[in-house]
Amino acid sequence: MTASDSATYEWTVSGMDCASCASKVRGAVERLPGVRDVDVALMTERLRLTLDEGQTPRDQIEATVKRLGYGITTKGSSFDRKRFVLPAGDRSLSPDGAQDAAGLEPDTGWTEPESQPAPGSRWYRTAKGRLVIGTGLLLAAAWAVKLLASQEVATWAFVLATLIGVAPIARRAVASARAGMPFTIEMLMTIAATGALVINAAEEAALVVFLFAVGEVLEGVAANKARDGIRALARLVPKTALLEIDGRTQVIPADQLQVEQIVLVRPGDRVPADGEVIEGTSGVDESAVTGESVPKLKEPGSPVFAGSINSEAALRVRVTKSAEDNTIARIIRLVEEAESARAPTERFIDRFSRVYMPAVVGIAVLVAIVPPLAFAQAWDTWIYRALALLLIGCPCALVISVPASIASALSSGARRGLLMKGGAVIEAAAAITHVAFDKTGTLTHGRPRVTDAVPISGSETEVLALAAAVEAGSSHPLAEAILSRAEAAGTPSLAATAARALPGKGAEAVVEGESAWVGSPRFAEERGLLDDRARRAVVGMEDEGKTVVAVFRRSQLVGLVALRDEPREDAAHAVQQLEALGIASVMLTGDNRRTAAAISAGLGIEHRAELMPEDKVAAIREMTATGHVMMVGDGINDAPALATAHIGVAMGSGTDVALETADAAILRNRVTDVAGKIRLARAAMANIRQNVAIALGLKAVFLVTTILGITGLWIAILADTGATVLVTLNALRLLAFDPEREA
């Protein structure tokens, strides 16, 4: 199969209630010819794979999954990995989107998503729910026959109830076996029920089938609850938007909005897309997106997130990001993709379970035949105990112990603006011993203001005009401060071309036909442009905690510009919280030593100053030699350090490069959320250890009691399904965990 012959497709698979379900789907489809890169996400019910339809048509994929007992619907004929598609809602647009949108009803109200019923929440409408009802009625009918008729007739009633109840389970077991997976809970259940009939334990066999069906429904209800957080995120973005066209508004699907279009957001409406306010002033509730409970004032120039609620006055908003790239879509995409980044613990348990289950089957066979053959024990007794052992041997609870906790932690974090790209990141975050912070935009607001413009060989106006020309078009905070000051001072605009950033040094451009630079004093010193007067001015301003940049031509220092960026209000408290967690903190900055010392002294944090991007990488590597390091930053020059650390965390206000490079993100721009992220990761790992203890502990107890004859088949199935439900419910506790609560 060549790349040109294949395409990537995606389906929604319903009915997957535990990790073993996902494993069965993955194992069945990846054996088909022409299939590769199979990715099954349990919590988001997604099947994605690369397929050569010349070898295996898509309908065969769907038929294979259906034979295993799961529902499957396509999410599109071909799926682009870079495009995220929100879950489909009720929509009557034609495929080409040509339908007149005027017939659509506005759907911008802010009904809380939690109030809406989650798909699949009515258990009795599912196949597993119907199986519970059916097996329950059959069992009740058999017991009625037992009360009203002879024991022989009652026995046949229980046999009939068992056979009818186990039939759909057996079909799934055979389908899994044909797909190369003989050791499944369905197969063990079929063998146990059939074996119980053989040894004349029909009543208990019927009860076991019913309890198995009940356990599967409980697993489904618990898994559905875990998915609610992800579904709620998807429902935050309204389906429609009020688009302004020639002064009139028109209702269109929100996912059809294009960048630069203007939308009207009325009071009480949810914002339909990421954008920028161009008219109006209002308080906007961003709690659903960032977890910040206090509404933020939005005025012209302020950014707004899709899914946030306009609470006071009408706003006109210019769309800045398309539907598949808005904040909510990126959060959901991150949570989806995070399921593929499995934690090392999860991978180990998955490998262990592949050995564990066949081993238990082998032990069950020995239990069935050794005592009767070697010690002349009763065959019925030991076959019965072996069958109970088979049911106890199912590793469902053990296998789901890690992904259930990880999914809950990811969902809990996403609701609070703490994003992590998978279980591997959570596990690494729990082990962090050192946190390295970038300064500008991370520990500080990243919005410095110009405090001084010191001319050296020209006037103050010339200094600001040349600096503004070089920095025109740059999004760097220092550049924006210079441009803002130049605009406020009314300095003349100078023509500039060939502008480019010099990482760790500054910026360069050709201004009115001659090269010019805005850079660090050290950069100007390297070019031999600083005299004693300039050096004294630089030292004096840096001692005041200001950042100084030099404005110069090829052979002439035009002047100096001083800026100051104040620390975030919670930065010092964040450092204290990390210290309470036993984590050391350090500030890494390209700023000068004096400014760095002034900032770090106020925060109570160590610092390393005058670092180029490669110096930050070297500092991170030095720290990783003695511990586990988290790097927190927001700029382009932070990307290499973010990638080098064990975990890179990007501030939500950071550049797309930093956000894509990082392993995690903080949407609220609160430094204390770094400690919150670590608390959440540690809570998740503690939850995983509890789940593993529950799963293995219950297995061990009932393994011994079954061999000793203390517990039987119905207790065995309760032990299996009970452990799975307990593990899932324990994992769901993480949804209520508050990362902000200090121990």
Side-chain angles (χ1 to χ4, degrees):
M1 177 176 63
T2 64
S4 60
D5 297 327
S6 60
T8 301
Y9 300 96
E10 182 171 311
W11 291 266
T12 297
V13 179
S14 59
M16 296 190 298
D17 299 328
C18 67
S20 63
C21 296
S23 297
K24 278 183 276 190
V25 173
R26 183 186 301 109
V29 298
E30 68 184 2
R31 287 174 168 81
L32 297 174
V35 174
R36 59 185 176 88
D37 301 332
V38 178
D39 179 26
V40 182
L42 173 64
M43 286 298 110
T44 49
E45 301 177 292
R46 183 195 70 223
L47 166 63
R48 182 188 298 168
L49 52 79
T50 302
L51 175 66
D52 178 2
E53 287 204 78
Q55 300 185 55
T56 299
R58 270 178 293 163
D59 55 6
Q60 187 173 341
I61 300 289
E62 297 173 5
T64 299
V65 173
K66 288 177 181 177
R67 280 197 297 270
L68 295 175
Y70 304 106
I72 181 170
T73 55
T74 183
K75 290 186 72 173
S77 59
S78 184
F79 184 81
D80 181 353
R81 286 183 183 274
K82 295 182 180 180
R83 187 175 189 275
F84 176 77
V85 183
L86 286 173
D90 296 331
R91 187 175 299 162
S92 56
L93 284 178
S94 60
D96 60 2
Q99 179 177 327
D100 182 9
L104 294 175
E105 291 294 327
D107 179 34
T108 51
W110 64 279
T111 302
E112 289 297 329
E114 289 77 13
S115 68
Q116 301 175 20
S121 59
R122 297 179 180 179
W123 63 270
Y124 53 85
R125 293 184 176 179
T126 65
K128 292 180 180 179
R130 291 192 293 270
L131 180 61
V132 166
I133 295 171
T135 54
L137 292 174
L138 288 170
L139 185 60
W143 273 330
V145 171
K146 181 179 180 180
L147 291 174
L148 301 174
S150 65
Q151 181 63 43
E152 182 177 354
V153 174
T155 298
W156 282 108
F158 284 117
V159 169
L160 183 62
T162 302
L163 292 176
I164 295 175
V166 84
I169 301 171
R171 282 197 299 269
R172 286 154 55 191
V174 172
S176 296
R178 286 179 175 175
M181 296 172 291
F183 297 109
T184 62
I185 181 58
E186 289 83 6
M187 181 62 75
L188 299 186
M189 183 64 225
T190 302
I191 294 172
T194 305
L197 293 180
V198 172
I199 61 174
N200 297 318
E203 183 174 355
E204 196 161 2
L207 179 59
V208 165
V209 170
F210 172 69
L211 291 176
F212 175 80
V214 170
E216 287 213 313
V217 167
L218 290 177
E219 289 175 9
V221 171
N224 196 57
K225 179 66 177 176
R227 294 182 179 115
D228 282 347
I230 299 172
R231 290 177 181 140
L233 284 173
R235 291 194 294 271
L236 287 177
V237 180
K239 293 186 179 69
T240 61
L242 292 173
L243 175 66
E244 283 196 1
I245 302 176
D246 297 329
R248 301 178 61 186
T249 59
Q250 180 179 354
V251 180
I252 70 165
D255 61 4
Q256 301 296 316
L257 288 173
Q258 302 296 319
V259 175
E260 298 299 326
Q261 287 183 328
I262 307 298
V263 295
L264 175 66
V265 185
R266 302 167 302 186
D269 286 355
R270 284 192 182 272
V271 179
D274 281 11
E276 179 181 313
V277 176
I278 60 173
E279 184 180 317
T281 301
S282 178
V284 174
D285 179 4
E286 298 179 343
S287 59
V289 182
T290 67
E292 186 64 67
S293 58
V294 179
K296 286 190 175 182
L297 180 67
K298 300 293 181 179
E299 51 192 0
S302 300
V304 289
F305 298 126
S308 56
I309 302 167
N310 179 22
S311 57
E312 296 174 1
L315 296 174
R316 294 179 67 237
V317 175
R318 182 174 64 249
V319 177
T320 57
K321 290 185 179 179
S322 57
E324 64 268 21
D325 199 37
N326 68 39
T327 302
I328 294 296
R330 294 177 72 174
I331 292 174
I332 300 173
R333 182 166 63 241
L334 188 148
V335 174
E336 280 196 335
E337 293 174 351
E339 284 199 72
S340 302
R342 301 198 298 168
T345 302
E346 182 180 355
R347 291 195 296 268
F348 169 76
I349 288 179
D350 189 44
R351 292 193 301 269
F352 172 76
S353 66
R354 294 177 187 177
V355 177
Y356 165 82
M357 200 164 183
V360 171
V361 172
I363 293 173
V365 172
L366 293 177
V367 168
I369 64 175
V370 171
L373 292 178
F375 305 103
Q377 299 290 312
W379 280 96
D380 286 0
T381 298
W382 289 98
I383 290 176
Y384 179 88
R385 294 179 184 179
L387 294 175
L389 189 62
L390 280 179
L391 297 180
I392 292 173
C394 176
C396 285
L398 181 62
V399 171
I400 202 176
S401 60
V402 178
S405 298
I406 295 297
S408 293
L410 291 172
S411 179
S412 178
R415 292 208 313 269
R416 294 169 173 85
L418 308 176
L419 307 183
M420 289 180 276
K421 296 180 179 178
V425 175
I426 290 178
E427 189 162 336
I432 289 300
T433 58
H434 297 76
V435 174
F437 290 98
D438 172 51
K439 180 179 75 70
T440 304
T442 303
L443 289 175
T444 64
H445 286 285
R447 295 189 299 272
R449 61 183 181 86
V450 174
T451 59
D452 304 272
V454 181
I456 300 296
S457 61
S459 66
E460 179 177 332
T461 299
E462 290 173 337
V463 173
L464 288 174
L466 184 59
V470 174
E471 297 286 14
S474 173
S475 60
H476 192 282
L478 296 182
E480 292 179 347
I482 291 172
L483 291 168
S484 177
R485 174 61 180 272
E487 182 180 356
T491 58
S493 300
L494 302 180
T497 58
R500 66 188 184 103
L502 303 174
K505 295 181 179 180
E508 174 188 13
V510 176
V511 181
E512 295 188 332
E514 184 181 353
S515 295
W517 292 265
V518 174
S520 65
R522 184 174 62 176
F523 185 28
E525 182 75 69
E526 291 172 357
R527 291 176 166 266
L529 298 178
L530 291 188
D531 56 19
D532 289 340
R533 176 194 169 195
R535 291 191 191 94
R536 285 194 300 270
V538 168
V539 170
M541 290 185 287
E542 288 180 349
D543 283 341
E544 296 174 3
K546 300 174 182 177
T547 298
V548 182
V549 295
V551 183
F552 54 94
R553 297 279 191 179
R554 188 174 300 278
S555 59
Q556 180 187 44
L557 178 65
V558 178
L560 303 170
V561 177
L563 308 95
R564 182 159 46 207
D565 184 15
E566 297 300 326
R568 295 183 186 271
E569 292 77 6
D570 66 334
H573 189 206
V575 173
Q576 294 170 3
Q577 289 187 28
L578 290 172
E579 184 177 354
L581 292 171
I583 297 172
S585 304
V586 62
M587 180 178 76
L588 306 179
T589 178
D591 218 333
N592 66 83
R593 298 184 188 279
R594 296 182 186 87
T595 301
I599 295 292
S600 63
L603 300 179
I605 187 175
E606 295 182 11
H607 71 277
R608 299 188 188 185
E610 299 182 0
L611 300 179
M612 300 287 285
E614 58 268 26
D615 297 326
K616 289 185 179 182
V617 171
I620 294 293
R621 285 176 177 165
E622 180 183 330
M623 286 187 282
T624 56
T626 58
H628 289 77
V629 182
M630 174 184 286
M631 172 68 190
V632 187
D634 76 321
I636 293 176
N637 62 340
D638 296 323
L642 291 172
T644 303
H646 290 100
I647 297 180
V649 178
M651 298 294 280
S653 60
T655 64
D656 286 343
V657 174
L659 290 170
E660 292 299 327
T661 305
D663 303 297
I666 293 172
L667 292 185
R668 295 187 291 191
N669 288 323
R670 288 174 27 171
V671 190
T672 50
D673 280 349
V674 174
K677 189 180 291 287
I678 294 173
R679 288 193 198 96
L680 178 60
R682 290 183 176 181
M685 294 309 297
N687 192 275
I688 286 171
R689 289 190 290 271
Q690 294 164 6
N691 281 348
V692 172
I694 291 171
L696 291 180
L698 284 176
K699 298 290 184 186
V701 168
F702 287 101
L703 182 69
V704 174
T705 57
T706 298
I707 293 177
L708 295 178
I710 299 173
T711 53
L713 282 175
W714 70 276
I715 291 292
I717 196 64
L718 280 180
D720 173 63
T721 57
T724 302
V725 172
L726 282 176
V727 162
T728 305
L729 292 177
N730 186 52
L732 291 178
R733 292 192 305 112
L734 287 172
L735 294 175
F737 180 79
D738 183 6
E740 297 179 26
R741 188 174 64 243
E742 300 177 42

